[in-house]
Amino acid sequence: MPWCPVCKNEYIEGKTHCPDCDVDLVDELVEDPEEEPVPVPIPAEELADLAARTASASQMNTHVSAKERHADTRSSAWTFLIVGAVGFAFITLALLGIIRLPLNTFSLAVMEGMFFLFLIFAVASFKNAMKMLDDISREDDLETRIKEWAKEHLTLEELTDGIPEDTPEEMHYFLVSEAIRKRLMPAFPEVDDAYAEQLTEDFYNELF
C-alpha cells in the first residue's frame, strides 16, 4: 500500500499522489532516526554565581555527626570527673590537715567548691551523652534511608545531563553538586544545610 510521507496516511493501490499534502506517495514509510539532544551551554554568569554560592556554603557549613558529638561529650565528662575527683580529694586532705598547702582555709574552701562543680558537670555530661545515643540511632537510620534513595535517584547519567564534556573539573563539581542538592533536599527536608553539604561531597566522590 502507498503511504504519504508527510501526513502518514495510507492509500489504496493505484494512488500515486496525496491531494492533502500535494506530494507523491511512497511504498513504505521510513522512520526518522531520533536526534540526540544537544547540550545547552550554561551562561558564564550563571556558572560563576553557582560556584560562588557553593564555595560559600562549603566554607560556612561543617557537619558534626551525632557520633562525634557523643564522643566529645563523653570525653569532656571523663575530663571533668578525673580532674574534679582528684582535686576534690586533694583539697579535702588539705582541709583536714593531712597535707599542708600555702593557702588559708577560705581559699581551700573555694577550691573545694570549684572541684565539686567539676563533679556536677561530669554527671551532667554523662547524662547528655546517654541522651545522644537516641540521636545516633536516628541519624544512622536517616543515613541508611538516604543511601538507599541515592542508589535509585542519583545516577551518573541524570546528574551530568546537559553538562558539556569540556566543562572544567572544578565547575563540573559545582554543577553536579547543585544537581545532587536539588534532588536531595526535597526528598529529605529534615536534612540541614551542613549535613546536605557533607552528603553531596560523599556522593560526588562515590560517582567520580
Side-chain angles (χ1 to χ4, degrees):
M1 293 290 185
W3 296 80
C4 174
V6 178
C7 63
K8 314 298 182 184
N9 286 333
E10 184 181 9
Y11 287 86
I12 61 174
E13 289 290 352
K15 287 284 187 180
T16 59
H17 195 79
C18 176
D20 296 324
C21 304
D22 194 25
V23 296
D24 291 333
L25 303 181
V26 296
D27 292 333
E28 70 178 290
L29 295 176
V30 179
E31 296 293 336
D32 294 331
E34 293 185 3
E35 296 182 359
E36 295 184 1
V38 178
V40 179
I42 303 173
E45 296 80 2
E46 184 178 340
L47 291 178
D49 179 65
L50 176 60
R53 287 188 287 111
T54 305
S56 176
S58 62
Q59 292 175 359
M60 295 176 59
N61 297 320
T62 302
H63 174 67
V64 181
S65 68
K67 291 179 181 178
E68 292 174 322
R69 294 197 302 272
H70 177 262
D72 289 343
T73 302
R74 279 183 60 85
S75 176
S76 298
W78 279 110
T79 300
F80 280 126
L81 179 62
I82 293 172
V83 174
V86 172
F88 188 84
F90 190 75
I91 299 300
T92 299
L93 293 176
L95 286 172
L96 294 175
I98 298 176
I99 60 174
R100 292 185 177 278
L101 293 176
L103 297 171
N104 56 36
T105 302
F106 177 76
S107 298
L108 291 173
V110 171
M111 295 183 66
E112 184 87 322
M114 179 186 69
F115 287 118
F116 183 73
L117 286 177
F118 277 23
L119 295 175
I120 294 177
F121 291 153
V123 173
S125 296
F126 277 119
K127 287 183 177 180
N128 287 335
M130 291 296 295
K131 292 178 181 179
M132 289 179 182
L133 294 176
D134 291 335
D135 295 335
I136 293 175
S137 178
R138 284 193 295 269
E139 190 172 271
D140 287 344
D141 177 67
L142 176 60
E143 184 175 350
T144 299
R145 290 191 291 114
I146 290 176
K147 288 183 177 180
E148 290 296 324
W149 170 86
K151 291 179 182 178
E152 181 179 353
H153 296 86
L154 297 182
T155 63
L156 187 63
E157 293 76 12
E158 291 184 358
L159 294 174
T160 57
D161 183 37
I163 301 179
E165 294 184 0
D166 58 348
T167 300
E169 183 177 351
E170 184 177 2
M171 192 58 63
H172 184 272
Y173 169 78
F174 291 143
L175 293 172
V176 174
S177 297
E178 184 73 5
I180 292 174
R181 276 191 291 271
K182 284 182 178 179
R183 290 166 171 77
L184 175 66
M185 298 303 286
F188 298 93
E190 65 269 36
V191 172
D192 59 31
D193 291 339
Y195 192 20
E197 183 68 26
Q198 177 183 306
L199 289 169
T200 297
E201 185 172 351
D202 292 343
F203 289 140
Y204 183 90
N205 291 334
E206 289 178 9
L207 289 169
F208 299 95

